[in-house]
Amino acid sequence: MIPKETSVFLQTYGCQMNVADSRTVESILLDAGFRSVGNPDVAEVILVNTCAVRESAEERALGQLASLSRLKTQDGNRIIGVLGCIPQEMKDELVRRLPFLDLVVGLDEYRQLPYLIEERLAAAPGQPAHVAAKLNRRELYDDVAPHHSGGITAFVTITRGCDKFCSFCVVPYVRGRERSRPLVSIIADVEQLVTKGAREVMLLGQNVDAYQWDGKSFADCLEAVAAIEGLQRVRFLTSHPQDIHLRIFEVMRDNPKVCPYLHLPIQSGSNRILAVMNRGYPRERYLEIIESAREIVPDLALSTDIIVGFPSETEGEFDETLDLVRRVRFDSAFMFKYSARPHTKAACMPDNVPETEKIRRLEALISLQKRISRERNLAQLGRVDSVLIEGVAPKSSSQWFGRTPDFRPVVFSQNGEMPGQVVRVKLGELSGFTFRGHPA
Ligand code: 5AD
Ligand code: SF4
């Protein structure tokens, strides 16, 4: 028996998939009688949902876990558990490096958490960690509605895992095989989220374009979700140039609820590097997709992921990435230095771009992209657009914070509106990347 209302603190690192997984974990724990708390110092159980995609993300999560050991020293009965991608990637090393851990629980084992915690609460302190980190290609958590604490935006996972095996990426090894959730359960989740106050939903998957269920494609899924009454907006993340279909842009054009925003990672502008990365497309194909997408949805906002300093990347190849960024003119980009990840093919290649050179390339790329982002934002000034109010602005309690359909952040003075409402706003001054809105 779980002691009544045992308190749990859950901290999340990493991508939106991890955030969505944490909502699933919360739902499993709350259903089992646990109580969620916002401070690790007062929690009987501390869980950290970790990310392994890049070395820096992994080090951050491991550093946080190491610092939690002080809470274990204060109270030996406290339970500390690691969830997410790191347990899949290096469970043995984890237990060796952090001997105070109680639980190491992988991505497909979250249903067991209440029992594992219960067992641990009943055990004598000082036992070696319990490790449960088997992958299960059938686990979709389909019957577990993600916990929603009332926000305007919510995440819904539609595919799990990835079969693409990009040579730099650990995801297929830690998240397992690609699989799609039944459309009926996705719809049921979104309907339930809407009854709990959500007005915008972000459909999530490592590669949403690979969605396939009972003859339904991702475009069908988008249409079906957009048809749900009470829902104002649908977004999705992440797309893959190999699988994306132009019908997705037609759905976007024809359905005002589907937001004109696309996150389409390019990773590199060099065809040789793209081939060694095993991305499955040359830069010309990527440019073609963007051109067609912009023809169908002229006001499409675009973002991407780019890696610099991949093994053997030459200066000339990096210049091709800069050239591609100049051609596409992304609205925003997530830019990373390559780091070798365990299990991956690229980890067997010599990591031979010196660290100082990686930093120089990253800085050059960031400064180019910042200039383009700013120019694209400046071009929006004076435009009137719809803003979905998400809540009070972080820096001023008399202002609302919201976003345009193409994901630009806007703050504006409150005037009797409510979160969840869509208001027409004229985009005024820019402060950093945030617009000040004026009543339109
Ligand atoms: N090194 C650097 N960046 C990486 N990413 C994935 N693996 C690595 C790695 N080994 C980046 C990719 C991916 C994003 C989520 O993280 O750009 O799209
Ligand atoms: Fe990783 Fe490539 Fe799959 Fe994206 S598509 S999760 S980069 S393997």
Side-chain angles (χ1 to χ4, degrees):
M1 265 290 287
I2 296 157
K4 206 169 165 345
E5 299 216 320
T6 299
S7 52
V8 187
F9 172 76
L10 171 59
Q11 182 169 16
T12 307
Y13 286 90
C15 63
Q16 279 86 348
M17 293 291 288
N18 258 18
V19 175
D21 284 354
S22 284
R23 299 287 90 81
T24 299
V25 167
E26 271 183 307
S27 177
I28 291 171
L29 293 177
L30 296 178
D31 274 0
F34 289 85
R35 177 171 59 91
S36 161
V37 292
N39 175 357
D41 296 289
V42 299
E44 292 153 272
V45 181
I46 299 171
L47 301 173
V48 182
N49 192 358
T50 59
C51 170
V53 76
R54 287 174 300 278
E55 200 175 7
S56 51
E58 186 169 286
E59 288 307 324
R60 253 196 315 279
L62 290 174
Q64 166 67 354
L65 280 164
S67 81
L68 287 172
S69 69
R70 90 192 137 83
L71 295 176
K72 189 79 182 173
T73 321
Q74 278 168 19
D75 177 0
N77 291 318
R78 190 171 255 148
I79 289 184
I80 301 190
V82 190
L83 315 179
C85 297
I86 296 183
Q88 300 300 157
E89 182 211 359
M90 49 173 220
K91 48 183 180 292
D92 301 330
E93 193 188 333
L94 198 55
V95 175
R96 223 178 22 252
R97 271 176 74 168
L98 304 169
F100 59 87
L101 288 178
D102 295 283
L103 296 172
V104 174
V105 183
L107 288 148
D108 293 336
E109 306 252 26
Y110 295 154
R111 282 175 200 276
Q112 286 202 61
L113 266 172
Y115 315 105
L116 296 174
I117 296 172
E118 183 183 351
E119 230 172 58
R120 200 68 188 187
L121 285 167
Q127 309 280 322
H130 184 115
V131 179
K134 274 212 197 77
L135 286 176
N136 173 358
R137 61 159 68 219
R138 276 184 295 277
E139 182 56 273
L140 285 164
Y141 297 109
D142 207 37
D143 53 328
V144 184
H147 177 67
H148 183 68
S149 47
I152 298 302
T153 68
F155 294 145
V156 172
T157 301
I158 65 164
T159 68
R160 297 186 74 84
C162 181
D163 283 352
K164 283 281 179 275
F165 288 92
C166 300
S167 65
F168 52 82
C169 185
V170 76
V171 165
Y173 304 92
V174 297
R175 286 191 167 267
R177 298 285 57 77
E178 179 182 282
R179 57 248 194 227
S180 299
R181 292 184 60 201
L183 186 53
V184 280
S185 354
I186 295 169
I187 304 281
D189 271 8
V190 179
E191 282 174 348
Q192 201 186 11
L193 286 163
V194 170
T195 63
K196 289 181 179 167
R199 292 293 170 264
E200 172 178 295
V201 72
M202 172 89 86
L203 304 177
L204 292 178
Q206 239 68 47
N207 172 9
V208 287
D209 309 297
Y211 182 84
Q212 221 173 9
W213 181 79
D214 200 22
K216 306 274 191 231
S217 67
F218 176 56
D220 298 324
C221 172
L222 262 183
E223 268 183 332
V225 171
I228 293 172
E229 217 170 299
L231 188 70
Q232 301 268 11
R233 286 180 177 181
V234 187
R235 301 183 183 279
F236 54 94
L237 206 68
T238 295
S239 292
H240 194 296
Q242 234 188 330
D243 293 336
I244 197 156
H245 203 282
L246 293 187
R247 208 185 125 219
I248 291 166
F249 304 112
E250 290 163 3
V251 172
M252 213 178 244
R253 176 196 60 201
D254 297 340
N255 199 318
K257 285 191 194 174
V258 180
C259 293
Y261 178 92
L262 178 70
H263 181 66
L264 191 67
I266 172 76
Q267 310 296 3
S268 167
S270 147
N271 281 344
R272 189 187 72 84
I273 294 292
L274 285 170
V276 193
M277 284 177 163
N278 191 31
R279 288 291 292 176
Y281 53 86
R283 58 184 269 144
E284 293 76 16
R285 171 76 192 126
Y286 188 91
L287 289 168
E288 220 174 78
I289 297 169
I290 300 301
E291 200 184 322
S292 311
R294 282 181 166 155
E295 256 167 41
I296 303 170
V297 184
D299 56 351
L300 181 70
L302 268 175
S303 73
T304 197
D305 289 348
I306 300 171
I307 298 176
V308 301
F310 185 81
S312 80
E313 183 190 67
T314 64
E315 185 65 27
E317 287 163 340
F318 170 64
D319 284 343
E320 291 184 72
T321 298
L322 293 178
D323 174 70
L324 186 128
V325 166
R326 278 190 210 103
R327 277 169 196 251
V328 177
R329 295 179 60 78
F330 296 102
D331 291 277
S332 63
F334 300 88
M335 297 158 280
F336 311 105
K337 260 185 322 167
Y338 170 77
S339 58
R341 306 310 298 130
H343 316 292
T344 62
K345 242 182 152 176
C348 306
M349 306 171 191
D351 189 359
N352 54 4
V353 178
E355 182 65 14
T356 48
E357 184 54 25
K358 283 184 189 167
I359 294 172
R360 192 193 62 76
R361 290 182 194 175
L362 185 63
E363 283 173 354
L365 178 62
I366 290 175
S367 109
L368 169 64
Q369 180 54 48
K370 260 194 175 157
R371 180 169 64 71
I372 296 172
S373 295
R374 177 139 182 98
E375 286 168 4
R376 288 189 63 86
N377 270 336
L378 287 171
Q380 312 297 322
L381 292 179
R383 196 184 85 190
V384 174
D385 208 344
S386 310
V387 171
L388 173 66
I389 303 175
E390 291 179 24
V392 174
K395 288 189 190 154
S396 161
S397 59
S398 61
Q399 306 237 315
W400 290 125
F401 173 87
R403 286 184 188 272
T404 58
D406 58 356
F407 209 57
R408 297 178 203 278
V410 183
V411 294
F412 61 96
S413 298
Q414 295 174 5
N415 191 14
E417 305 88 350
M418 291 296 286
Q421 229 173 296
V422 175
V423 290
R424 297 290 287 172
V425 161
K426 185 168 170 180
L427 301 182
E429 320 71 77
L430 261 171
S431 153
F433 291 98
T434 305
F435 289 89
R436 252 199 82 91
H438 303 283

